[in-house]
């Protein structure tokens, strides 16, 4: 059983009642009377028991003490917990202190200072204080607090209602605060917070998240060592609709030349404040019809001054265009650091600091940091490049490299985003001529950064892939608007990225959504995959790869799967393979066919994949590998070359021997003129502007003495003999083209006659060949000549041995 005895003078009441929402499965027995609630007034002595062994699960207890400081003497000093010996239930002590509005009351917390929490939240040890003030019979909730904080005193105007909530298992004997009388503070309240070392606290305006009382004033006093620095951050606020005055915050900072410093709630609040200071919140006269709500939740961060507190870092963005640089904590914006976490501040001037700072292009900034460990900070930058008219953009080459203004900062780059915007008929081409790219999914990326490339329209998005340097992809052409994101993965980015060579240009429209140009290093193994891997190509999308095969190498193409993996609802999906060589066979595979077996490619070749409209839950995925190796030496070709060389040598020897033999005959060559043969030199058509009859191409400037020119003369005895050393003009049929001299291979040397002392030099022929020309026989018609066919249609003037004596 339990006994509660209350003295009449204590003005205290005790109430035991069921927890809200519980059925009366456990009750109170007093003098054989069962009840679910017990109310004990001042001056009463009550003994009771519970009908269950665990009453703490069902009952709560409220102990309220009324203190009248208006008509009587206030019991100032430490506040004790009374009465003693209460049953072990969750309990709430309430002190209702009534005081004049002309006087002030001070609550001073002795053992453990307080920490304010948002309404609805609980304290770790389940011990909490709630403080309210009464103004003209209107209760104002100053706030809810836990133990172990920085709030050391709260001064209030008029009366106060103080509540202490204790769990049933904690044996508390003292309230932890005392009450003192003070002069009027002329404002709703003053909350004093003492911050001794590096810390971060959160405070709220009275009635938060409801509205701050109309036209009221309150103050927070921050006691901070002079060697520390404080910064203010407003995280959540709203403004009421004012008829008169303006809602604002005012700072009183010792040593400031402009006290008080007035700020709007929407302004960036002061930072890097040395030592103690005050901040006041001032309300306004609100619109009676639509008052709105004034509320404020803010954070105070206290830090040691940094070693390089006065060191500024120059960030020159004056020559950049369409670029923003944001300095922020790691994980931002998806993860916002807890208010209790150590904070890093970025300052763009000594009194303007924040956790996140965004710089825009076209200006020069001098920033500093209030941060023990800069490794907590990251940089995210974004740059836009656009082209609306290809005539102005086509010849421009843009470097997609991180500006030195960013790499010079001692903060790690998180990512750099390039947004490339163009009209429908303008496409984007990126190149990496020296480093080259490779798919990061190949598992061979050792670099500390990667490129993520996405092609997007208002309706669709194509994830081209993630790439890192050190591969074989030299060029990628893409349609639509492109977003390229450089992501870093470690501290080595700055050193590795010095030779960044990614370039971008705008090009005319291409037929495929994406075209890759692969230029491998010798003996490379190249892994390639279709965009949107592994989720499959979007419907009706076409992708191409152009693979360059070095001249002395062969490429082995091998697909990593047997089929494309898609079933088509409409249309067909295809894979096309073709070498860039004359007469090359094109390999075409449909989605319902097996992909080609591994094959060797000896020339540059194309691989193209085009998608259909897939059946639900099927997707086109494609991965393949190209391995490069030196071409094998073909023994048959070597033997063939050697055999061919032997044959040519034998032919050369034969020609040489025949020529030497013919030289011994000393017979002149007899030139035979064939009027039916086109004697124009190859490639010299129309060389002579005049016709054969109008020019002198048939007149010889020099006649060799050893050459005999003759006509076909019909003698009386019927014998035919040439006239020696006689030139007569040719009066036969004349064509429009001059005859060509016989080829050099048919020219033969002859010996001069004995009466010639010296062989006259030839103008053109180095081996001094001579010729004898003969005319057709008299009376021989063209028709008779043609009857002999297309072969030799003329007769030699001299035959066999009969001519030997004439020449000699």
């Amino acid at each position: 059983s339990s006994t509660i005895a209350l003295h009449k003078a204590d003005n205290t009441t005790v109430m035991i009642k069921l927890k809200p929402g519980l059925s009366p499965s456990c009750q109170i027995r007093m003098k054989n009377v069962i009840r679910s609630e017990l109310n004990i007034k001042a001056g009463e002595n009550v003994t009771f028991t519970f009908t269950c062994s665990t009453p703490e699960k069902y009952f709560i207890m409220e102990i309220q003490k009324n203190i009248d400081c208006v008509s009587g003497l206030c019991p100032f000093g430490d506040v004790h917990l009374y009465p003693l010996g209460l049953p072990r239930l969750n309990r709430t002590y309430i002190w209702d202190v009534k005081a004049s509005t002309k006087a002030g009351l001070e609550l001073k917390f002795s053992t453990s200072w307080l920490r304010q929490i948002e309404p609805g939240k609980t304290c770790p040890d389940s011990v909490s204080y709630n403080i309210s003030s009464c103004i003209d019979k209107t209760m104002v909730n100053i706030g809810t607090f836990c133990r172990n904080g920085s709030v050391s005193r709260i001064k209030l105007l008029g009366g106060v209602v103080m509540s202490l909530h204790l769990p049933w298992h904690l044996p508390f004997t003292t309230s932890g605060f005392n009450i003192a009388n003070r002069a009027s503070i002329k404002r709703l309240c003053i909350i004093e917070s003492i911050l001794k070392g590096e810390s971060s606290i959160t405070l709220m305006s009275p009635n938060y998240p409801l509205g701050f009382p109309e036209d009221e004033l309150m103050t927070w006093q921050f006691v901070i060592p002079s060697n520390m620095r404080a910064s203010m951050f407003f995280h959540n606020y709203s403004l009421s609709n004012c008829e008169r005055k303006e809602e604002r915050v005012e700072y009183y900072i010792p040593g400031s030349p402009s006290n008080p410093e007035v700020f709007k709630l929407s302004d960036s609040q002061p930072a890097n404040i040395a030592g103690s200071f005050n901040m006041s919140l001032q309300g306004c006269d609100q619109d009676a019809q639509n008052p709105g709500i004034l509320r404020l939740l803010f954070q105070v961060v206290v830090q040691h001054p940094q070693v390089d507190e006065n060191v500024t870092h120059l960030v020159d963005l004056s020559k950049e265009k369409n670029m923003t640089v944001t300095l922020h904590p790691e994980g931002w914006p998806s993860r916002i650091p807890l208010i209790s976490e150590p904070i890093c501040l970025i300052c763009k001037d000594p009194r303007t600091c924040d956790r996140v700072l965004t710089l825009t292009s076209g200006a020069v900034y001098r920033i500093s940091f209030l941060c023990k460990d800069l490794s907590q900070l990251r940089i995210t930058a974004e740059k836009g490049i656009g082209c609306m008219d290809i005539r102005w953009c086509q010849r421009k080459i843009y470097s997609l490299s991180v500006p030195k203004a960013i790499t010079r900062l001692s903060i790690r780059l998180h990512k750099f985003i390039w947004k490339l915007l163009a009209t429908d008929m303008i496409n984007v081409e990126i190149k990496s001529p020296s480093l080259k790219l490779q798919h990061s999914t190949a598992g061979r990326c050792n670099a500390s950064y990667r490129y993520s490339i996405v092609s997007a329209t208002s309706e669709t998005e194509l994830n081209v892939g993630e790439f890192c340097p050190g591969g074989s992809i030299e060029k990628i052409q893409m349609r639509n608007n492109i977003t390229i994101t450089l992501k870093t993965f470690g501290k080595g980015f700055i050193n590795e990225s010095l030779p960044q060579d990614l370039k971008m240009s705008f090009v005319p429209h291409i037929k495929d959504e994406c075209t890759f140009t692969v230029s491998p290093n010798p003996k490379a193994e190249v892994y390639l995959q279709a965009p949107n891997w592994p989720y499959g190509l979007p419907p009706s999308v076409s992708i191409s790869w152009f693979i360059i095969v070095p001249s002395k190498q062969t490429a082995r193409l091998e697909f990593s799967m047997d089929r494309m993996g898609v079933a088509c609802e409409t249309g067909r999906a295809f894979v096309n393979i073709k070498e860039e060589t004359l007469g090359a066979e094109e390999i075409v595979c449909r989605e319902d066919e097996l992909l080609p077996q591994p094959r060797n490619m000896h020339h540059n070749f194309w691989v193209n994949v085009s998608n259909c409209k897939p059946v639900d839950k099927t997707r086109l995925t494609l991965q393949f590998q190209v391995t490069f190796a030196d071409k094998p030496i073909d023994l048959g070709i070597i033997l063939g070359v050697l055999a061919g060389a032997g044959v040519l040598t034998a032919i050369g020897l034969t020609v040489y021997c025949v020529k030497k033999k013919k030289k011994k005959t000393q017979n002149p060559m007899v030139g035979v003129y064939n009027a039916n043969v086109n004697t124009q030199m190859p490639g010299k058509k129309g060389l002579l502007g005049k016709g054969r009859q109008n020019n002198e191409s048939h007149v010889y400037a020099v006649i060799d003495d050893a050459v005999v020119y003759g006509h076909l003369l019909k003698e009386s005895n019927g014998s035919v003999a040439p006239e020696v050393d006689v030139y007569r003009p040719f009066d036969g049929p004349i064509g429009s083209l001059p005859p060509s001299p016989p080829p050099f291979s048919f020219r033969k040397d002859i010996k001069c006659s004995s009466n010639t002392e010296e062989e006259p030099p030839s103008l053109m022929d180095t081996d001094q060949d001579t010729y004898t020309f003969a005319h057709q026989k008299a009376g021989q018609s063209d028709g008779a000549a043609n009857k002999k066919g297309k072969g030799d249609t003329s007769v030699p003037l001299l035959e066999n041995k009969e001519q030997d004596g004439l020449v000699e």
Side-chain angles (χ1 to χ4, degrees):
S1 63
S2 300
T3 300
I4 299 177
L6 299 178
H7 297 103
K8 185 73 173 176
D10 289 337
N11 202 15
T12 301
T13 60
V14 176
M15 176 180 287
I16 301 174
K17 57 185 179 180
L18 282 171
K19 291 182 178 179
L22 291 181
S23 61
S25 54
C26 183
Q27 294 184 322
I28 303 170
R29 179 183 290 116
M30 188 179 67
K31 296 180 181 180
N32 297 323
V33 177
I34 301 298
R35 59 181 67 189
S36 58
E37 186 175 299
L38 180 61
N39 192 1
I40 306 171
K41 298 179 180 179
E44 294 181 348
N45 190 335
V46 177
T47 301
F48 60 93
T49 60
F50 295 100
T51 61
C52 62
S53 60
T54 57
E56 68 274 4
K57 294 182 179 180
Y58 304 95
F59 291 95
I60 58 174
M61 183 165 48
E62 288 184 359
I63 304 98
Q64 180 169 335
K65 182 178 178 64
N66 297 320
I67 303 174
D68 186 0
C69 293
V70 176
S71 58
L73 195 62
C74 286
F76 297 123
D78 293 336
V79 176
H80 300 284
L81 299 181
Y82 174 84
L84 300 175
L86 294 174
R88 290 164 58 87
L89 300 175
N90 291 340
R91 57 205 182 274
T92 301
Y93 289 90
I94 302 172
W95 294 272
D96 187 354
V97 181
K98 299 186 184 305
S100 170
T101 56
K102 297 180 180 180
L105 291 176
E106 178 183 279
L107 304 178
K108 185 175 181 181
F109 303 95
S110 53
T111 54
S112 60
W113 296 333
L114 304 186
R115 173 175 61 87
Q116 189 172 7
I117 60 173
E118 296 183 49
K121 292 189 176 182
T122 58
C123 298
D125 57 1
S126 299
V127 177
S128 64
Y129 294 85
N130 184 268
I131 303 171
S132 298
S133 180
C134 183
I135 301 177
D136 298 330
K137 299 182 181 180
T138 302
M139 296 298 296
V140 178
N141 181 20
I142 303 300
T144 301
F145 301 83
C146 300
R147 296 191 298 172
N148 300 318
S150 63
V151 176
S152 58
R153 287 189 298 176
I154 297 178
K155 301 174 185 178
L156 302 113
L157 182 66
V160 60
V161 177
M162 179 73 173
S163 300
L164 171 61
H165 304 276
L166 298 175
W168 65 272
H169 59 278
L170 289 183
F172 264 65
T173 58
T174 178
S175 64
F177 71 95
N178 61 47
I179 300 177
N181 188 13
R182 290 291 180 265
S184 176
I185 58 176
K186 299 181 180 179
R187 61 198 66 203
L188 175 64
C189 65
I190 299 173
I191 299 177
E192 181 185 80
S193 184
I194 299 176
L195 299 140
K196 291 184 176 180
E198 285 198 335
S199 56
S200 172
I201 62 170
T202 302
L203 296 167
M204 285 146 273
S205 59
N207 279 346
Y208 186 90
L210 301 179
F212 186 69
E214 181 179 6
D215 197 23
E216 278 293 342
L217 173 67
M218 73 158 295
T219 299
W220 288 271
Q221 293 180 337
F222 300 103
V223 180
I224 299 171
S226 59
N227 63 337
M228 304 296 289
R229 301 293 182 267
S231 301
M232 304 292 294
F233 302 97
F234 288 5
H235 293 298
N236 189 12
Y237 67 88
S238 63
L239 303 175
S240 57
N241 297 314
C242 297
E243 281 190 343
R244 290 183 301 168
K245 301 182 183 179
E246 186 179 9
E247 295 166 335
R248 63 192 184 274
V249 288
E250 298 178 354
Y251 292 89
Y252 181 85
I253 302 173
S256 173
S258 56
N259 280 323
E261 297 184 18
V262 180
F263 291 80
K264 296 180 180 180
L265 275 70
S266 57
D267 292 338
S268 293
Q269 302 302 309
N272 205 19
I273 303 171
S276 301
F277 66 98
N278 297 347
M279 184 189 82
S280 298
L281 174 64
Q282 175 67 65
C284 68
D285 291 333
Q286 298 173 349
D287 185 348
Q289 301 298 324
N290 183 21
I293 291 176
L294 171 61
R295 61 185 172 190
L296 173 63
L297 181 149
F298 64 96
Q299 180 186 11
V300 184
V301 177
V302 178
Q303 298 169 289
H304 285 290
Q306 303 307 301
V307 175
D308 58 348
E309 179 187 13
N310 297 321
V311 175
T312 58
H313 302 262
L314 185 70
V315 183
D316 187 356
L317 303 180
S318 58
K319 296 181 181 179
E320 300 291 342
K321 295 180 180 179
N322 302 322
M323 188 170 80
T324 60
V325 179
T326 303
L327 294 86
H328 57 85
E330 184 178 8
W332 175 90
S334 58
R335 180 189 176 275
I336 299 175
L338 298 175
I339 294 177
S340 58
E341 290 183 17
I343 191 170
C344 271
L345 299 179
I346 308 110
C347 307
K348 63 180 180 181
D349 61 58
R351 290 281 296 277
T352 306
C353 306
D354 208 337
R355 288 191 176 202
V356 178
L357 178 64
T358 298
L359 311 175
T360 57
S361 55
V364 178
Y365 301 88
R366 288 173 172 83
I367 64 173
S368 59
F369 301 101
L370 283 175
C371 183
K372 264 191 173 181
D373 185 8
L374 290 180
S375 66
Q376 302 176 37
L377 296 177
R378 296 290 183 270
I379 297 175
T380 295
E382 182 175 310
K383 183 178 179 65
I385 303 174
C387 178
M388 298 298 110
D389 189 338
I390 192 65
R391 293 174 299 175
W392 299 102
C393 314
Q394 189 170 5
R395 296 183 180 180
K396 291 184 179 180
I397 298 177
Y398 302 87
S399 174
L400 302 186
S401 57
V402 180
K404 291 182 179 179
I406 295 177
T407 57
R408 285 172 179 165
L409 286 174
S410 53
I411 301 176
R412 202 169 111 194
L413 178 69
H414 173 52
K415 58 185 176 182
F416 197 109
I417 303 168
W418 291 272
K419 291 192 173 181
L420 315 177
L421 307 177
T423 58
D424 291 341
M425 298 306 293
I426 302 175
N427 299 139
V428 170
E429 176 182 282
I430 62 170
K431 288 184 178 181
S432 180
S434 58
L435 294 179
K436 300 182 183 178
L437 302 177
Q438 62 179 328
H439 288 281
S440 61
T441 53
R444 300 191 175 192
C445 285
N446 297 320
S448 63
Y449 66 98
R450 297 176 188 174
Y451 295 102
S452 172
I453 303 176
V454 175
S455 169
T457 64
S458 57
E459 296 84 15
T460 61
E461 183 175 283
L462 179 68
N463 182 11
V464 178
E466 277 207 354
F467 304 88
C468 60
S472 300
I473 301 173
E474 182 177 336
K475 180 170 66 175
I476 306 176
Q477 290 182 322
M478 295 162 287
R479 289 165 59 177
N480 308 322
N481 294 327
I482 308 299
T483 299
I484 301 175
T485 303
L486 183 150
K487 302 177 182 178
T488 63
F489 300 92
K491 298 180 179 178
F493 165 73
I494 295 177
N495 294 330
E496 289 182 13
S497 62
L498 290 178
Q500 289 179 76
D501 73 334
L502 200 64
K503 304 288 190 297
M504 186 280 298
S505 58
F506 292 101
V507 295
H509 187 71
I510 61 174
K511 67 172 186 175
D512 294 325
E513 271 73 14
C514 189
T515 301
F516 298 84
T517 299
V518 181
S519 177
N521 296 321
K523 298 183 180 181
E525 291 184 0
V526 182
Y527 297 88
L528 300 169
Q529 64 190 28
N532 262 24
W533 176 270
Y535 305 106
L537 276 180
S540 307
V541 166
S542 177
I543 307 294
S544 292
W545 293 265
F546 178 59
I547 293 96
I548 298 173
V549 181
S551 59
K552 295 183 180 181
Q553 288 197 313
T554 183
R556 185 168 181 81
L557 172 64
E558 183 175 356
F559 291 92
S560 61
M561 56 199 75
D562 295 332
R563 296 178 183 271
M564 293 182 233
V566 67
C568 292
E569 180 180 329
T570 58
R572 306 305 296 261
F574 293 96
V575 169
N576 299 57
I577 305 169
K578 187 173 182 180
E579 285 188 283
E580 270 203 340
T581 184
L582 189 62
E585 175 189 7
E586 182 173 5
I587 302 169
V588 181
C589 296
R590 295 195 312 259
E591 81 282 353
D592 57 350
E593 298 174 337
L594 292 174
L595 290 171
Q597 293 295 316
R599 59 191 296 114
N600 292 330
M601 316 295 283
H602 303 283
H603 306 277
N604 300 343
F605 65 96
W606 287 90
V607 176
N608 173 270
V609 57
S610 53
N611 199 9
C612 58
K613 182 181 179 183
V615 175
D616 289 343
K617 298 183 180 180
T618 66
R619 56 197 182 192
L620 192 159
T621 56
L622 191 70
Q623 270 189 327
F624 59 95
Q625 175 182 348
V626 184
T627 306
F628 294 84
D630 293 335
K631 287 183 178 179
I633 299 175
D634 194 331
L635 186 59
I637 294 176
I638 295 176
L639 293 176
V641 171
L642 293 175
V647 171
L648 291 176
T649 303
I651 292 173
L653 290 173
T654 303
V655 171
Y656 176 76
C657 293
V658 170
K659 184 174 181 181
K660 293 296 287 183
K661 182 178 180 181
K662 286 190 176 182
K663 280 186 178 181
K664 294 179 180 180
T665 64
Q666 302 293 327
N667 291 335
M669 289 285 291
V670 177
V672 180
Y673 177 74
N674 184 357
N676 295 319
V677 178
N678 179 11
T679 57
Q680 182 185 10
M681 293 180 65
K684 302 295 183 179
K685 184 176 180 180
L687 180 64
L688 299 176
K690 299 180 181 180
R692 173 76 169 179
Q693 296 173 339
N694 299 325
N695 64 27
E696 297 179 351
S697 60
H698 59 287
V699 178
Y700 292 84
V702 177
I703 300 177
D704 196 325
D705 292 342
V707 179
V708 177
Y709 293 87
H711 297 275
L712 292 176
L713 301 176
K714 190 172 183 181
E715 297 183 355
S716 59
N717 57 2
S719 63
V720 179
E723 291 182 347
V724 179
D725 292 336
V726 176
Y727 172 77
R728 292 185 181 182
F730 177 71
D731 55 3
I734 299 176
S736 62
L737 297 176
S740 299
F744 281 94
S745 59
F746 289 100
R747 302 181 188 180
K748 301 300 174 184
D749 293 336
I750 62 170
K751 291 183 179 180
C752 299
S753 60
S754 58
N755 60 1
T756 304
E757 297 180 358
E758 188 176 309
E759 183 181 4
S762 172
L763 292 177
M764 296 293 294
D765 302 325
T766 57
D767 52 356
Q768 300 177 356
D769 292 348
T770 56
Y771 303 92
T772 299
F773 288 81
H775 290 275
Q776 290 180 318
K777 292 180 180 181
Q780 188 177 0
S781 67
D782 292 344
N786 290 336
K787 287 180 182 180
K788 294 186 180 181
K790 296 181 180 179
D792 188 5
T793 58
S794 56
V795 284
L797 178 63
L798 306 178
E799 295 182 3
N800 299 334
K801 295 181 180 180
E802 294 180 1
Q803 288 88 350
D804 292 343
L806 293 173
V807 176
E808 292 293 328

